Amino acid sequence: QVQLVESGGGLVQAGGSLRLSCAVSGRTVSNNHMSWYRQAPGKQRELVSTISSGGSTDYADSVKGRFTISRDYAKNTVYLQMNSLKPEDTAVYYCNMWGFSFDYWGQGTQVTVSS
């Protein structure tokens, strides 16, 4: 059984930083595509960042230069380092592992950025 457990969310002032973690069990982060999504109240879920099985990364334009996705093979964990946070970054952030025949999600972690 594959499980993704996010942590690291919280309340932070604008300009601050948070690091989200996604601990994975049942599959290895090194062999799979991993993504972070977010969903703000009243809005659709949007893709924030992806790290492919090969290690290439991609970011939404709104977070480029501020967020960094990475993974730790030993801990089987994916991270999202978020710097220079803005109030518009406020959302529930979800971790996602996906492939040709599967699509797993975590339960989400709340990030709130105050102005």
Side-chain angles (χ1 to χ4, degrees), residues 12-18 66 82-87 89 113-115:
V12 64
Q13 288 188 332
S17 298
L18 284 174
R66 300 188 297 122
M82 307 186 296
N83 299 328
S84 302
L85 282 161
K86 305 175 180 180
D89 295 318
V113 184
S114 62
S115 57

Side-chain angles (χ1 to χ4, degrees), residues 3-114:
Q3 286 190 317
L4 283 66
V5 180
E6 301 99 333
S7 61
L11 174 63
V12 64
Q13 288 188 332
S17 298
L18 284 174
R19 188 178 78 159
L20 305 183
S21 300
C22 173
V24 180
S25 59
R27 280 187 183 258
T28 57
V29 300
S30 59
N31 295 332
N32 292 284
H33 305 307
M34 302 293 302
S35 295
W36 286 97
Y37 284 76
R38 67 185 181 187
Q39 187 166 19
K43 294 188 177 181
Q44 288 189 330
R45 191 172 294 189
E46 64 170 342
L47 178 62
V48 175
S49 181
T50 294
I51 184 165
S52 74
S53 57
S56 59
T57 59
D58 197 16
Y59 299 91
D61 287 344
S62 59
V63 307
K64 278 181 182 176
R66 300 188 297 122
F67 290 11
T68 303
I69 191 170
S70 63
R71 58 190 176 187
D72 184 322
Y73 296 163
K75 295 182 179 180
N76 210 37
T77 298
V78 175
Y79 302 99
L80 186 67
Q81 178 67 44
M82 307 186 296
N83 299 328
S84 302
L85 282 161
K86 305 175 180 180
E88 50 264 43
D89 295 318
T90 295
V92 178
Y93 284 71
Y94 297 90
C95 181
N96 171 237
M97 174 184 278
W98 54 278
F100 179 73
S101 60
F102 60 89
D103 190 20
Y104 302 111
W105 292 86
Q107 82 289 349
T109 186
Q110 175 70 46
V111 171
T112 303
V113 184
S114 62

